[in-house]
Amino acid sequence: MGQKVHPGSFRLGINKDWISRWYGEKDYAKLLHEDIKIRRFLSEKFKRANVSKILIERAINKVRVSIFAGRPGIIIGKGGETIEDTKEYLEKLIGGSKVFLNVQEVNRPDLDAQLVAERIAFQLQRRTSAKRAMREAISRIMELGARGVRIACKGRIAGAEIARKEWMKEGRVPLHTLRADIDYGIATAHTLYGCIGIKVWICKGEILRPLIQEESGNGIAAQKGQV
Protein backbone atom coordinates (compact mmCIF):
# COMPACT_ATOMS: atom_id res chain seq x y z
CA MET A 1 0.00 0.00 0.00
CA GLY A 2 1.21 3.47 -0.83
CA GLN A 3 1.82 5.83 2.07
CA LYS A 4 2.03 9.33 0.67
CA VAL A 5 2.40 12.63 2.53
CA HIS A 6 1.16 16.01 1.30
CA PRO A 7 4.27 17.92 0.09
CA GLY A 8 3.07 21.07 1.86
CA SER A 9 2.41 19.53 5.28
CA PHE A 10 5.68 17.57 4.99
CA ARG A 11 7.57 20.89 4.85
CA LEU A 12 5.63 22.88 7.44
CA GLY A 13 7.98 24.95 9.54
CA ILE A 14 10.84 24.42 7.07
CA ASN A 15 9.94 26.32 3.90
CA LYS A 16 6.12 26.19 4.00
CA ASP A 17 3.69 27.98 6.30
CA TRP A 18 0.19 27.22 7.55
CA ILE A 19 -2.83 28.45 5.56
CA SER A 20 -4.72 29.08 8.82
CA ARG A 21 -2.88 31.19 11.42
CA TRP A 22 -4.61 31.37 14.77
CA TYR A 23 -4.74 29.79 18.21
CA GLY A 24 -8.10 28.42 19.32
CA GLU A 25 -7.55 26.35 22.47
CA LYS A 26 -11.11 25.42 23.62
CA ASP A 27 -12.75 26.91 20.49
CA TYR A 28 -10.52 24.96 18.11
CA ALA A 29 -13.32 22.80 16.60
CA LYS A 30 -15.64 25.78 16.15
CA LEU A 31 -13.00 27.92 14.44
CA LEU A 32 -11.90 25.02 12.24
CA HIS A 33 -15.45 24.54 10.92
CA GLU A 34 -15.69 28.29 10.31
CA ASP A 35 -12.52 28.13 8.20
CA ILE A 36 -13.99 25.24 6.18
CA LYS A 37 -17.21 27.21 5.56
CA ILE A 38 -15.27 30.30 4.48
CA ARG A 39 -13.06 28.40 2.04
CA ARG A 40 -15.97 26.39 0.60
CA PHE A 41 -18.08 29.51 0.04
CA LEU A 42 -15.28 31.56 -1.56
CA SER A 43 -14.10 28.69 -3.79
CA GLU A 44 -17.61 28.11 -5.15
CA LYS A 45 -18.52 31.78 -5.58
CA PHE A 46 -15.29 32.81 -7.30
CA LYS A 47 -14.71 29.67 -9.34
CA ARG A 48 -14.03 31.77 -12.47
CA ALA A 49 -11.46 33.93 -10.65
CA ASN A 50 -8.85 31.12 -10.57
CA VAL A 51 -8.44 31.03 -6.78
CA SER A 52 -5.08 29.50 -5.84
CA LYS A 53 -5.27 29.54 -2.03
CA ILE A 54 -7.11 31.23 0.83
CA LEU A 55 -5.15 32.37 3.88
CA ILE A 56 -7.09 32.95 7.13
CA GLU A 57 -5.66 34.88 10.10
CA ARG A 58 -7.51 35.54 13.34
CA ALA A 59 -7.23 37.95 16.23
CA ILE A 60 -9.77 38.84 18.94
CA ASN A 61 -13.12 39.20 17.11
CA LYS A 62 -11.29 39.88 13.84
CA VAL A 63 -10.79 37.63 10.83
CA ARG A 64 -8.47 38.55 7.96
CA VAL A 65 -9.03 36.53 4.77
CA SER A 66 -6.41 36.80 2.01
CA ILE A 67 -7.47 35.45 -1.37
CA PHE A 68 -4.74 34.67 -3.92
CA ALA A 69 -6.29 34.58 -7.40
CA GLY A 70 -5.20 34.68 -11.01
CA ARG A 71 -8.07 37.06 -11.92
CA PRO A 72 -8.60 39.35 -8.91
CA GLY A 73 -10.85 41.74 -10.84
CA ILE A 74 -13.72 39.24 -10.68
CA ILE A 75 -13.50 39.14 -6.87
CA ILE A 76 -13.27 42.91 -6.44
CA GLY A 77 -16.09 43.67 -8.85
CA LYS A 78 -17.17 47.00 -10.34
CA GLY A 79 -16.31 49.72 -7.84
CA GLY A 80 -15.64 47.11 -5.16
CA GLU A 81 -19.30 46.07 -4.89
CA THR A 82 -18.67 42.32 -5.06
CA ILE A 83 -16.04 42.31 -2.34
CA GLU A 84 -18.23 44.38 0.00
CA ASP A 85 -21.21 42.03 -0.48
CA THR A 86 -18.92 39.05 0.14
CA LYS A 87 -17.58 40.63 3.33
CA GLU A 88 -21.10 41.20 4.69
CA TYR A 89 -22.13 37.62 3.89
CA LEU A 90 -19.04 36.17 5.61
CA GLU A 91 -19.75 38.22 8.76
CA LYS A 92 -23.26 36.71 8.86
CA LEU A 93 -21.88 33.24 8.10
CA ILE A 94 -19.45 33.09 11.02
CA GLY A 95 -21.22 35.62 13.28
CA GLY A 96 -19.69 37.86 15.91
CA SER A 97 -16.42 38.63 14.09
CA LYS A 98 -15.34 41.52 11.90
CA VAL A 99 -14.11 40.28 8.50
CA PHE A 100 -11.37 41.94 6.45
CA LEU A 101 -10.86 40.78 2.87
CA ASN A 102 -7.54 41.11 1.07
CA VAL A 103 -7.22 40.13 -2.60
CA GLN A 104 -3.80 39.45 -4.11
CA GLU A 105 -2.93 38.58 -7.68
CA VAL A 106 -0.95 35.49 -8.62
CA ASN A 107 1.69 37.00 -10.90
CA ARG A 108 2.66 33.80 -12.73
CA PRO A 109 -0.35 31.43 -12.78
CA ASP A 110 1.52 28.90 -14.94
CA LEU A 111 3.88 28.28 -11.99
CA ASP A 112 1.03 27.75 -9.51
CA ALA A 113 0.29 24.02 -9.16
CA GLN A 114 -3.33 24.51 -8.07
CA LEU A 115 -4.17 26.74 -11.05
CA VAL A 116 -2.41 24.37 -13.45
CA ALA A 117 -4.42 21.41 -12.09
CA GLU A 118 -7.69 23.32 -12.45
CA ARG A 119 -6.84 24.32 -16.02
CA ILE A 120 -6.15 20.69 -16.96
CA ALA A 121 -9.45 19.66 -15.30
CA PHE A 122 -11.28 22.27 -17.39
CA GLN A 123 -9.63 20.98 -20.57
CA LEU A 124 -10.60 17.37 -19.77
CA GLN A 125 -14.20 18.49 -19.26
CA ARG A 126 -14.01 20.02 -22.76
CA ARG A 127 -12.96 16.57 -24.05
CA THR A 128 -9.33 17.44 -24.68
CA SER A 129 -6.89 14.53 -24.69
CA ALA A 130 -5.26 14.02 -21.29
CA LYS A 131 -1.80 13.51 -22.78
CA ARG A 132 -2.09 16.68 -24.85
CA ALA A 133 -3.27 18.75 -21.89
CA MET A 134 -0.43 17.47 -19.69
CA ARG A 135 2.19 17.96 -22.42
CA GLU A 136 1.13 21.57 -23.05
CA ALA A 137 1.10 22.37 -19.32
CA ILE A 138 4.59 20.90 -18.81
CA SER A 139 6.05 22.87 -21.71
CA ARG A 140 4.60 26.16 -20.34
CA ILE A 141 5.88 25.46 -16.82
CA MET A 142 9.41 24.54 -17.91
CA GLU A 143 9.65 27.63 -20.14
CA LEU A 144 9.09 29.81 -17.04
CA GLY A 145 12.16 28.38 -15.34
CA ALA A 146 10.84 25.57 -13.13
CA ARG A 147 13.37 22.89 -12.12
CA GLY A 148 10.90 20.08 -12.72
CA VAL A 149 7.23 19.16 -12.97
CA ARG A 150 5.16 16.02 -12.62
CA ILE A 151 1.47 15.68 -13.60
CA ALA A 152 -0.77 12.65 -13.02
CA CYS A 153 -4.35 11.99 -14.16
CA LYS A 154 -6.33 9.05 -12.84
CA GLY A 155 -9.82 7.79 -13.73
CA ARG A 156 -11.82 6.75 -16.78
CA ILE A 157 -9.60 8.69 -19.17
CA ALA A 158 -11.15 9.11 -22.65
CA GLY A 159 -14.17 7.08 -21.49
CA ALA A 160 -12.25 3.82 -21.01
CA GLU A 161 -14.14 0.99 -19.34
CA ILE A 162 -11.33 0.42 -16.83
CA ALA A 163 -9.86 3.34 -14.93
CA ARG A 164 -6.16 3.93 -15.42
CA LYS A 165 -3.42 6.37 -14.55
CA GLU A 166 -1.60 8.58 -17.02
CA TRP A 167 1.35 10.65 -15.87
CA MET A 168 4.20 12.71 -17.30
CA LYS A 169 7.35 14.10 -15.77
CA GLU A 170 10.10 16.44 -16.85
CA GLY A 171 13.08 17.70 -14.90
CA ARG A 172 13.73 17.00 -11.22
CA VAL A 173 10.99 16.70 -8.55
CA PRO A 174 12.67 15.51 -5.30
CA LEU A 175 9.73 14.82 -2.98
CA HIS A 176 11.91 13.54 -0.11
CA THR A 177 14.23 16.57 -0.08
CA LEU A 178 12.94 18.91 2.61
CA ARG A 179 14.80 21.97 1.30
CA ALA A 180 13.14 21.58 -2.12
CA ASP A 181 10.44 24.15 -2.88
CA ILE A 182 7.62 21.88 -4.08
CA ASP A 183 4.27 23.39 -5.05
CA TYR A 184 1.39 20.88 -5.05
CA GLY A 185 -2.15 21.15 -6.40
CA ILE A 186 -5.13 18.84 -6.94
CA ALA A 187 -8.31 19.19 -8.97
CA THR A 188 -11.22 17.05 -10.16
CA ALA A 189 -12.61 16.96 -13.69
CA HIS A 190 -16.32 16.03 -13.78
CA THR A 191 -16.76 14.33 -17.17
CA LEU A 192 -19.62 12.36 -18.70
CA TYR A 193 -17.81 9.11 -17.85
CA GLY A 194 -17.10 10.01 -14.24
CA CYS A 195 -14.57 11.95 -12.19
CA ILE A 196 -10.92 12.23 -13.19
CA GLY A 197 -8.43 13.34 -10.54
CA ILE A 198 -5.48 15.56 -11.44
CA LYS A 199 -2.34 16.03 -9.32
CA VAL A 200 0.44 18.50 -10.11
CA TRP A 201 3.89 18.80 -8.50
CA ILE A 202 6.13 21.74 -9.47
CA CYS A 203 9.70 22.05 -8.22
CA LYS A 204 10.83 25.70 -8.17
CA GLY A 205 14.31 25.10 -6.78
CA GLU A 206 15.71 24.84 -3.27
CA ILE A 207 15.34 27.09 -0.23
CA LEU A 208 18.39 27.02 2.02
CA ARG A 209 18.09 28.24 5.60
CA PRO A 210 21.36 27.41 7.39
CA LEU A 211 21.56 27.55 11.18
CA ILE A 212 24.35 29.95 12.05
CA GLN A 213 25.72 29.42 15.55
CA GLU A 214 27.70 32.17 17.22
CA GLU A 215 29.46 31.93 20.54
CA SER A 216 28.67 34.69 22.99
CA GLY A 217 29.19 35.39 26.67
CA ASN A 218 25.71 34.01 27.50
CA GLY A 219 26.09 30.87 25.47
CA ILE A 220 25.48 29.96 21.83
CA ALA A 221 22.96 32.07 19.94
CA ALA A 222 21.28 30.59 16.88
CA GLN A 223 20.40 32.84 14.06
CA LYS A 224 18.42 31.89 11.00
CA GLY A 225 19.30 33.31 7.62
CA GLN A 226 18.07 32.67 4.11
CA VAL A 227 20.41 32.11 1.19
Side-chain angles (χ1 to χ4, degrees):
M1 292 176 63
Q3 297 177 353
K4 299 175 181 62
V5 180
H6 192 288
S9 63
F10 188 49
R11 291 166 176 80
L12 280 176
I14 300 171
N15 56 28
K16 299 291 182 183
D17 204 353
W18 284 259
I19 57 174
S20 291
R21 301 173 186 171
W22 45 264
Y23 179 69
E25 200 172 0
K26 294 181 181 179
D27 296 328
Y28 177 83
K30 174 179 172 290
L31 298 179
L32 176 62
H33 283 286
E34 285 183 2
D35 283 10
I36 294 172
K37 289 179 183 178
I38 291 171
R39 287 197 172 90
R40 186 176 296 161
F41 168 73
L42 293 175
S43 299
E44 291 177 357
K45 182 173 183 179
F46 300 118
K47 190 175 291 185
R48 295 192 304 112
N50 296 339
V51 177
S52 170
K53 66 177 180 179
I54 300 170
L55 175 64
I56 300 176
E57 299 171 288
R58 292 178 184 267
I60 300 173
N61 296 327
K62 292 181 182 178
V63 181
R64 180 181 295 275
V65 181
S66 300
I67 307 173
F68 296 81
R71 302 167 67 186
I74 296 176
I75 301 174
I76 298 171
K78 190 175 181 181
E81 295 178 359
T82 307
I83 198 169
E84 288 297 326
D85 294 341
T86 305
K87 189 187 300 182
E88 292 177 3
Y89 182 83
L90 288 177
E91 288 177 353
K92 294 178 182 177
L93 184 67
I94 60 179
S97 297
K98 183 71 175 175
V99 177
F100 299 90
L101 281 180
N102 180 29
V103 183
Q104 297 187 30
E105 183 180 3
V106 177
N107 294 324
R108 298 196 290 179
D110 283 326
L111 277 180
D112 191 288
Q114 183 62 36
L115 298 184
V116 172
E118 290 178 359
R119 186 188 298 114
I120 294 174
F122 178 74
Q123 290 177 317
L124 294 181
Q125 290 174 174
R126 298 284 298 270
R127 299 188 178 184
T128 305
S129 169
K131 286 187 177 180
R132 179 181 176 183
M134 290 190 290
R135 196 179 300 113
E136 290 177 354
I138 289 174
S139 64
R140 283 195 304 266
I141 293 168
M142 296 302 291
E143 285 174 3
L144 290 174
R147 296 291 182 86
V149 56
R150 178 182 175 182
I151 302 176
C153 297
K154 196 169 185 179
R156 293 185 61 187
I157 298 172
E161 290 292 328
I162 300 175
R164 69 177 189 273
K165 180 180 179 181
E166 295 277 358
W167 67 279
M168 290 184 178
K169 178 183 176 182
E170 187 171 337
R172 181 171 172 266
V173 186
L175 297 181
H176 287 188
T177 305
L178 289 175
R179 65 178 178 270
D181 184 10
I182 305 290
D183 193 15
Y184 176 69
I186 57 174
T188 304
H190 300 276
T191 67
L192 293 174
Y193 307 104
C195 294
I196 297 176
I198 299 102
K199 294 181 180 181
V200 178
W201 296 262
I202 299 176
C203 178
K204 301 178 182 179
E206 293 184 353
I207 299 177
L208 302 177
R209 293 182 178 177
L211 195 65
I212 302 172
Q213 293 184 346
E214 298 179 354
E215 292 187 3
S216 63
N218 300 326
I220 297 176
Q223 180 181 1
K224 284 187 177 180
Q226 183 171 355
V227 177

